[in-house]
Amino acid sequence: MANKAALISGITGQDGAYLAKLLLEKGYRVYGLLAHRSTKPFWRLSYLGIEEEVEFVDGDLMDLSSLGRAMAEVKPDEVYNLAAQSFVGVSWQQPILTANVTGLGVLHMLEAIRLNNPEIRFYQASSSEMFGLVQEPIQSETTPFYPRSPYGVAKLFGHWMTKNYRESYQMFACSGILFNHESPLRGLEFVTRKVTDAVARISLGKQSDLRLGNIDAKRDWGFAGDYVEAMWRMLQHDVADDYVVATGITSTVRQMCEIAFQHVGLSYEDYVVIDPKFYRPAEVDILLGDASKAKQQLQWTAKTSLETLIQMMVEADLERVRQEGKNVSGSIMR
Ligand code: NAP
Ligand code: GDD
């Protein structure tokens, strides 16, 4: 039998890169949906050494016809929809774009699959941000949603559309409700990477302080490399379903800063400056996930502690900042 083919939207993002690596290791033919951009952001795929192994197909979540063409060309067995406007903070500045890409884009994907080959297995990247103003202290698949950002509202639309296509058309459509997950490939706009990059710069004398917003917010942070395994397992299961993917431990942004600064022998209190510019119009104060369904049905558990994760990210940023002086292209990786 020929190797399975997978189409990944959002392949140039953090999760897309780790998932592509995992699927290549499993023998898949991996295709990445590539939206037209003025520059090709392949640094994450290069970092993992897989840029040459992935094939690319043009397509944008906003253009249903391009998705239909991509399905017809690739004939995937599995589609992973990871593409999104994924930064919560910007979703108040660009609510309509966020609703279109992060919400309506999911429906475009589902329609492209239904019209081309409804047998394709589909993974939707849903989010713990849908829990928002949490209705239960520990959030599981049965916890009611209460999104707090235009991003969260858009994700909820995608989540319900995924369920609806499963129930209406018997499509194998899964929704992974993933809690925050980070890595050295995280975008610099997200708080963990903003902190680890700043720690590297401060420790190497290239930055003097770090301006943050609400450092009392709590998140259930895991490692992206662990979480893409859960995505794949969902699509190998005998029935399509929704799963929470989380570590079951929550920590404040403050605690995360403490780990990062301590790793280079510094104290965060000496460098962190609170800047209200980074406060959000409506905050998600705490997230804490219960991934026992994923554990029971998919045999998946998180393997990486927050300490290990943040130390790994600080080390990667130290290396990048050191390289910057020697290699001008290093700055693209920030
Ligand atoms: P990311 O690094 O921001 O990657 C987003 C990807 O979406 C990029 O490849 C981007 O392409 C692509 N994209 C944006 N607009 C597009 C469009 N109109 N058409 C096609 N592609 C488009 O996000 P991530 O952290 O890997 O997250 C992956 C997915 O999981 C996202 O849907 C995110 O919302 C969701 N999620 C993430 C987390 C987390 O903690 N990381 C948790 C829960 C859910 P360019 O590079 O060309 O812009
Ligand atoms: N980005 C950022 N920058 N966040 C800050 C800052 C800052 O300077 N200071 C404090 N924070 C707080 C935010 O207010 C938030 O409470 C928390 O740090 C985490 O922010 P982000 O790292 O931007 O992540 P997020 O939780 O809003 O969203 C991420 O996780 C979601 C899953 O819950 C993204 O990856 C989403 O795409 C994902 O769905």
Side-chain angles (χ1 to χ4, degrees), residues 94-324:
Q94 301 183 359
I96 296 166
L97 178 117
T98 304
N100 276 324
V101 178
T102 305
L104 200 59
V106 185
L107 181 54
H108 288 168
M109 270 290 192
L110 286 162
E111 271 296 89
I113 291 173
R114 185 180 71 81
L115 295 169
N116 271 272
N117 174 12
E119 297 301 310
I120 292 170
R121 293 190 168 208
F122 177 73
Y123 172 84
Q124 166 56 17
S126 290
S127 165
S128 53
E129 184 71 16
M130 301 187 306
F131 294 120
L133 185 64
V134 295
Q135 301 295 295
E136 289 176 343
I138 304 178
Q139 301 88 52
S140 72
E141 295 79 4
T142 56
T143 302
F145 297 113
Y146 193 135
R148 291 272 278 174
S149 60
Y151 168 85
V153 174
K155 279 286 177 192
L156 199 49
F157 175 83
H159 173 73
W160 280 109
M161 273 299 166
T162 303
K163 273 177 106 84
N164 183 260
Y165 269 54
R166 183 166 76 220
E167 292 170 5
S168 304
Y169 305 112
Q170 290 70 53
M171 280 169 49
F172 195 104
C174 296
S175 176
I177 307 173
L178 271 55
F179 283 61
N180 299 50
H181 45 280
E182 321 292 313
S183 74
L185 301 185
R186 190 56 147 151
L188 273 171
E189 63 273 38
F190 301 97
V191 75
T192 53
R193 181 79 203 291
K194 180 173 172 181
V195 168
T196 61
D197 175 72
V199 163
R201 283 169 197 286
I202 289 168
S203 111
L204 296 172
K206 297 193 170 188
Q207 188 170 322
S208 55
D209 62 14
L210 166 60
R211 305 185 87 79
L212 293 175
N214 176 15
I215 62 172
D216 294 316
K218 296 178 107 177
R219 289 292 181 275
D220 179 331
W221 277 297
F223 172 46
D226 293 345
Y227 284 34
V228 295
E229 174 81 28
M231 298 176 187
W232 175 75
R233 287 186 185 219
M234 283 178 218
L235 295 203
Q236 313 316 306
H237 199 50
D238 20 344
V239 282
D241 209 339
D242 307 324
Y243 295 92
V244 159
V245 174
T247 68
I249 298 172
T250 192
S251 312
T252 58
V253 173
R254 186 190 297 277
Q255 287 167 320
M256 183 268 294
C257 286
E258 208 169 348
I259 297 169
F261 277 91
Q262 259 173 16
H263 188 62
V264 294
L266 299 174
S267 171
Y268 82 95
E269 287 106 326
D270 296 335
Y271 299 95
V272 170
V273 177
I274 301 303
D275 185 340
K277 186 171 87 183
F278 296 107
Y279 289 156
R280 292 175 177 178
E283 178 62 285
V284 172
D285 294 321
I286 177 165
L287 290 173
L288 173 58
D290 171 6
S292 30
K293 181 174 169 185
K295 185 174 183 187
Q296 279 156 18
Q297 297 189 8
L298 307 176
Q299 289 74 53
W300 181 90
T301 47
K303 297 193 190 85
T304 312
S305 71
L306 182 62
E307 285 73 17
T308 305
L309 171 64
I310 296 300
Q311 287 165 5
M312 180 202 319
M313 291 173 68
V314 171
E315 284 299 322
D317 278 321
L318 282 167
E319 182 57 25
R320 282 177 183 136
V321 176
R322 286 191 195 106
Q323 290 300 323
E324 262 177 24

Side-chain angles (χ1 to χ4, degrees), residues 10-16 33 35 37 41 44 59-62 81-86 101 125-128 151 155 178-182 186 190:
I11 190 140
T12 55
Q14 169 188 258
D15 292 7
L33 187 83
R37 301 278 191 264
R44 293 183 172 97
D60 192 297
L61 245 50
M62 284 298 83
N81 185 38
L82 309 186
Q85 189 303 95
S86 76
V101 178
S126 290
S127 165
S128 53
Y151 168 85
K155 279 286 177 192
L178 271 55
F179 283 61
N180 299 50
H181 45 280
E182 321 292 313
R186 190 56 147 151
F190 301 97

Side-chain angles (χ1 to χ4, degrees), residues 46-98:
S46 307
Y47 188 92
L48 297 178
I50 56 169
E51 186 182 339
E52 302 303 324
E53 292 177 63
V54 173
E55 293 185 52
F56 297 99
V57 50
D58 285 332
D60 192 297
L61 245 50
M62 284 298 83
D63 183 347
L64 175 60
S65 67
S66 74
L67 302 181
R69 242 194 318 273
M71 298 298 163
E73 193 181 320
V74 172
K75 297 189 174 45
D77 300 283
E78 297 171 7
V79 170
Y80 295 85
N81 185 38
L82 309 186
Q85 189 303 95
S86 76
F87 185 37
V88 173
V90 109
S91 75
W92 279 278
Q93 269 76 53
Q94 301 183 359
I96 296 166
L97 178 117
T98 304

